[in-house]
Amino acid sequence: MPVGGLVPRAAENAAELVVRNARIHTQDERRPQAGALAVRDGVVTVVGEDRDVAGHIGPDTRVVDAMGRRVVPGLNDAHLHVIRGGLNYVLELRWDGVRTLREGLAMLRAQAERTPKGQWVRVVGGWSAEQFAERRLPTVAELNAAAPDTPVFVLHLYQSAVLNRAALRAAGYDRTTPDPKGGQIVRGRDGEPTGMLLAAPSALVLYSTLAKAPTLSDTDKRISTRHFLRELNRFGLTSAIDAAGGFQNFPDNYSTVVELAKSGQLSLRIAYHLFPQTAGQEIEDLTRWIEMARPEDGDAWLRLNGAGENLTWAAADFENFAQPRPELDDYEPEFEKAVRLLLENGWGFRLHATYDETIRRDLAVFEKLAAEGLFPGDGRWLFDHAETVSPESLDRIAALGGAMSVQNRLSFQGEAFLRRYGPGDAADAPPIAAMLRRGLTVAAGTDATRVSSYNPWVALHWLVSGRTVGDLVVRPPSNRVDRHTALRLFTRAGATLTGEDDVKGVLRPGCYADLAILSEDYFTVPEADIPHLESLLTVVGGRIVYAAGEYEGLDEELPPLSPQWSPVAHHGGYQRSGGARQAELIGEAVAESEQQRRWRVGRGLADDGTVTPFDPCFSL
């Protein structure tokens, strides 16, 4: 962007990029605020004011005028299923940010009309029924009406899925299909599947059904991943820690990001984990991987970070808060073998653990190994999720040198959690303030894409406000954090989990030039507007990887979306909110929802709404 009054003066070692006329939140304690910075060879070289960078501007320097906007270090999602998400992004119809079920069904109907025979319409995560004005799921009848012949699969959190008749046929489900372990295929009075699948409590029935849908070619997987990374860049994300996950096999499902890294086409820095996929074979898988690679193998763009978030399948609890907490069988012997193997070889790990009951059992294994001198070890380790972790467990985690990674799963499941466990437990789910008081490293993420949305600003809003996407206040002020702390959890803390806190999450000379120019000032916008923030310009390693508004056209060109019928090509990803027409649609949906509620109350099927579902002091 040409800027009047700035004359190129640097004859050599000129900056490649200069950002000026900005309000830069550096997160550097020595210089918290600045007005300009300069970048060369992918790192920040100068942080100061316009006059400080003027001498570094050469004939080829790209000068970006921030126009007085807020600049922050690039966001780092500490728990994102980015690799799996990229492989499927262009196949998915996203309801992230959609405010009414009416609008979601209209999108689904339009997508079904353009989806070719043999392909599915799939709505997979990033939304909750509580975000809709109607406050409900779509019905099987509505899916059948919207898409009579095209298979439709709609996943709702880790709780359930709704399929139309065509999807049941495509999945091969009929009256003879047995229920999988931990799941239920709901059946009608005639014994035939109705189209509802329930996690009871395991989500395996949901994911195994989704796995029956067609996949992309290798070429389209690369295109899909690049467009997904660009979508993440749209919100100012510059780094992510991939938590692996089910149906993500190593090395096969990692080949796409490896190829993109080799060709310099990643626009997001990824630190990845390895997750044993086959129950009973976990030790063999971990042993093989230890022989193949070492943590921190790779470079600044793609690097191995350790094992997890499962080490053994038997040790994993389930987070379907609509169901009781699962009772796990005896898993400690194999779990101990896995942990010992990793520690003895200097590998770090992360552990999926929703409930304190699971965390206490894991800690007992760790303390046994600590007596042998294996804790604290060389590898970084942490618990993920930990919604019900107790103060006593936090003390034990701190003593063993562990860390925490929290996600805004209760943005989307807060109502279900509150109904099952009550306002007292919901107020501390998870106990972020207690974690911070103990000096634990606490990093924040989304756990996208199967439950939460990948929009990090929704998660930041949850950290600050304690509210769900349905606008229910669940966490009191004592268990919230201020905006500066929330941003640190989404930047510097994640860098600590990957051993990069000396170069990432802060804007000072010698650190990665990863930053975002925001659409509004995160520190001053009304709290309710935090989820609507986006980046206007995102820079990773000095490269402009996303540009919008006044900066449109400055970013790198992407290949066209493929296939052409992709939902992303027609509907985009996360749905922007606002506009008169949307307000009108929301009003219509609310009125319709109120009529349905009154009908249910009149027949004794629902309460009259006079009972407050949470302690009113929490709204202060």
Side-chain angles (χ1 to χ4, degrees):
M1 180 175 293
V3 180
L6 289 179
V7 179
R9 290 186 289 179
E12 57 184 32
N13 294 325
E16 293 154 1
L17 175 69
V18 162
V19 177
R20 64 173 294 274
N21 189 20
R23 288 181 292 162
I24 303 173
H25 178 74
T26 68
Q27 292 196 144
D28 181 3
E29 293 81 1
R30 292 167 292 185
R31 181 161 194 162
Q33 303 294 328
L37 59 77
V39 176
R40 182 175 177 81
D41 295 329
V43 300
V44 176
T45 55
V46 179
V47 177
E49 302 303 326
D50 283 4
R51 61 181 177 274
D52 300 312
V53 301
H56 297 266
I57 297 174
D60 298 322
T61 301
R62 173 174 276 178
V63 179
V64 172
D65 188 338
M67 301 182 186
R69 290 191 173 96
R70 176 64 66 187
V71 176
V72 297
L75 302 186
N76 184 351
D77 191 324
H79 187 121
L80 176 64
H81 297 280
V82 59
I83 293 174
R84 185 176 67 193
L87 297 178
N88 298 284
Y89 176 62
V90 301
L91 292 174
E92 296 173 353
L93 178 67
R94 304 301 306 183
W95 280 355
D96 307 47
V98 174
R99 300 295 303 279
T100 72
L101 178 58
R102 176 181 295 187
E103 180 183 354
L105 288 171
M107 294 167 63
L108 193 150
R109 185 179 300 107
Q111 183 58 39
E113 291 174 354
R114 68 173 64 92
T115 300
K117 186 176 182 179
Q119 291 289 342
W120 294 25
V121 176
R122 50 199 107 178
V123 180
V124 186
W127 66 282
S128 167
E130 302 296 339
Q131 81 190 41
F132 293 147
E134 298 92 335
R135 307 282 180 171
R136 66 175 180 85
L137 299 178
T139 66
V140 173
E142 286 171 327
L143 298 191
N144 286 331
D149 303 313
T150 303
V152 173
F153 176 97
V154 177
L155 177 70
H156 185 237
L157 309 174
Y158 287 134
Q159 297 178 5
S160 60
V162 191
L163 284 69
N164 68 350
R165 282 189 298 265
L168 288 173
R169 289 194 298 269
Y173 290 161
D174 58 27
R175 67 170 61 229
T176 67
T177 306
D179 286 346
K181 182 179 179 180
Q184 180 183 356
I185 301 171
V186 179
R187 304 170 196 277
R189 63 178 65 90
D190 59 357
E192 294 289 345
T194 65
M196 288 294 300
L197 306 179
L198 299 179
S202 170
L204 184 61
V205 64
L206 312 180
Y207 293 156
S208 60
T209 303
L210 181 60
K212 298 174 182 289
T215 59
L216 293 168
S217 68
D218 289 345
T219 297
D220 282 347
K221 286 177 182 176
R222 289 191 291 273
I223 292 172
S224 177
T225 297
R226 292 190 66 187
H227 278 272
F228 183 49
L229 299 185
R230 174 66 61 86
E231 174 75 352
L232 298 177
N233 298 148
R234 167 188 163 194
F235 296 102
L237 276 166
T238 59
S239 291
I241 307 177
D242 186 88
F247 298 91
Q248 184 170 311
N249 292 291
F250 180 81
D252 298 348
N253 295 133
Y254 292 70
S255 61
T256 298
V257 292
V258 170
E259 291 171 12
L260 292 176
K262 287 179 179 178
S263 60
Q265 293 179 316
L266 289 179
S267 64
L268 188 86
R269 303 183 192 274
I270 301 173
Y272 61 89
H273 286 253
L274 302 184
F275 182 133
Q277 294 296 307
T278 305
Q281 189 181 302
E282 298 95 335
I283 304 302
E284 289 83 352
D285 287 342
L286 292 171
T287 301
R288 185 173 70 256
W289 295 338
I290 285 170
E291 294 171 352
M292 293 171 58
R294 295 284 303 169
E296 300 184 9
D297 278 357
D299 57 24
W301 288 93
L302 184 65
R303 56 195 276 143
L304 173 63
N305 199 50
E309 59 182 292
N310 275 2
L311 302 184
T312 62
W313 278 95
D317 53 21
F318 305 106
E319 60 282 13
N320 180 359
F321 298 122
Q323 294 281 336
R325 177 182 59 84
E327 296 292 338
L328 303 182
D329 295 331
D330 180 28
Y331 66 78
E332 282 82 354
E334 284 299 299
F335 180 72
E336 180 182 333
K337 290 180 186 178
V339 176
R340 181 186 297 276
L341 177 65
L342 294 168
L343 293 175
E344 289 177 344
N345 287 276
W347 272 55
F349 58 89
R350 66 191 309 158
L351 285 172
H352 168 108
T354 301
Y355 302 98
D356 190 57
E357 289 81 357
T358 308
I359 292 170
R360 291 201 306 265
R361 291 175 66 175
D362 292 351
L363 288 170
V365 173
F366 298 166
E367 287 162 347
K368 177 181 177 182
L369 296 177
E372 301 178 26
L374 292 177
F375 276 94
D378 296 332
R380 293 174 295 274
W381 71 274
L382 62 121
F383 279 113
D384 278 304
H385 315 312
E387 276 85 359
T388 71
V389 64
S390 66
E392 294 76 17
S393 293
L394 290 177
D395 290 337
R396 295 165 70 188
I397 293 167
L400 292 168
M404 307 300 298
S405 178
V406 298
Q407 300 79 41
N408 64 314
R409 302 194 304 182
L410 293 194
S411 283
F412 298 84
Q413 302 181 85
E415 288 83 358
F417 189 97
L418 185 138
R419 284 191 293 269
R420 180 160 295 280
Y421 297 106
D425 287 344
D428 287 329
I432 299 169
M435 296 173 186
L436 293 171
R437 283 196 300 269
R438 286 163 172 77
L440 288 164
T441 295
V442 182
T446 61
D447 200 10
T449 58
R450 295 288 172 80
V451 171
S452 302
S453 172
Y454 52 75
N455 181 349
W457 299 104
V458 174
L460 281 153
H461 176 256
W462 170 79
L463 288 167
V464 169
S465 72
R467 292 179 180 271
T468 70
V469 293
D471 205 33
L472 176 68
V473 179
V474 178
R475 288 184 297 112
S478 59
N479 194 30
R480 303 176 203 163
V481 298
D482 60 48
R483 299 189 194 198
H484 288 81
T485 301
L487 187 63
R488 285 199 301 274
L489 302 190
F490 245 99
T491 51
R492 297 194 71 173
T496 299
L497 296 187
T498 58
E500 298 173 286
D501 46 325
D502 58 335
V503 292
K504 187 187 287 187
V506 60
L507 296 174
R508 66 176 173 228
C511 292
Y512 294 154
D514 299 352
L515 58 94
I517 301 177
L518 301 182
S519 55
E520 301 288 344
D521 190 343
Y522 161 68
F523 296 108
T524 60
V525 295
E527 187 179 88
D529 289 338
I530 292 175
H532 309 312
L533 290 172
E534 295 188 16
S535 176
L536 293 178
L537 186 118
T538 304
V539 176
V540 187
R543 293 164 45 200
I544 298 176
V545 296
Y546 177 80
E550 296 92 340
Y551 309 108
E552 187 172 353
L554 295 183
D555 49 2
E556 302 163 348
E557 186 176 6
L558 289 184
L561 276 163
S562 178
Q564 292 183 346
W565 54 266
S566 163
V568 176
H570 298 273
H571 301 287
Y574 190 95
Q575 299 295 305
R576 289 181 173 89
S577 60
R581 177 55 182 158
Q582 185 183 63
E584 179 182 337
L585 290 172
I586 292 172
E588 292 173 358
V590 168
E592 181 180 294
S593 179
E594 176 61 16
Q595 289 177 349
Q596 293 176 353
R597 189 192 70 82
R598 290 177 180 174
W599 185 90
R600 290 175 60 80
V601 168
R603 286 155 179 80
L605 301 174
D607 63 54
D608 62 3
T610 60
V611 178
T612 302
F614 61 95
D615 191 329
C617 72
F618 290 177
S619 64
L620 297 178

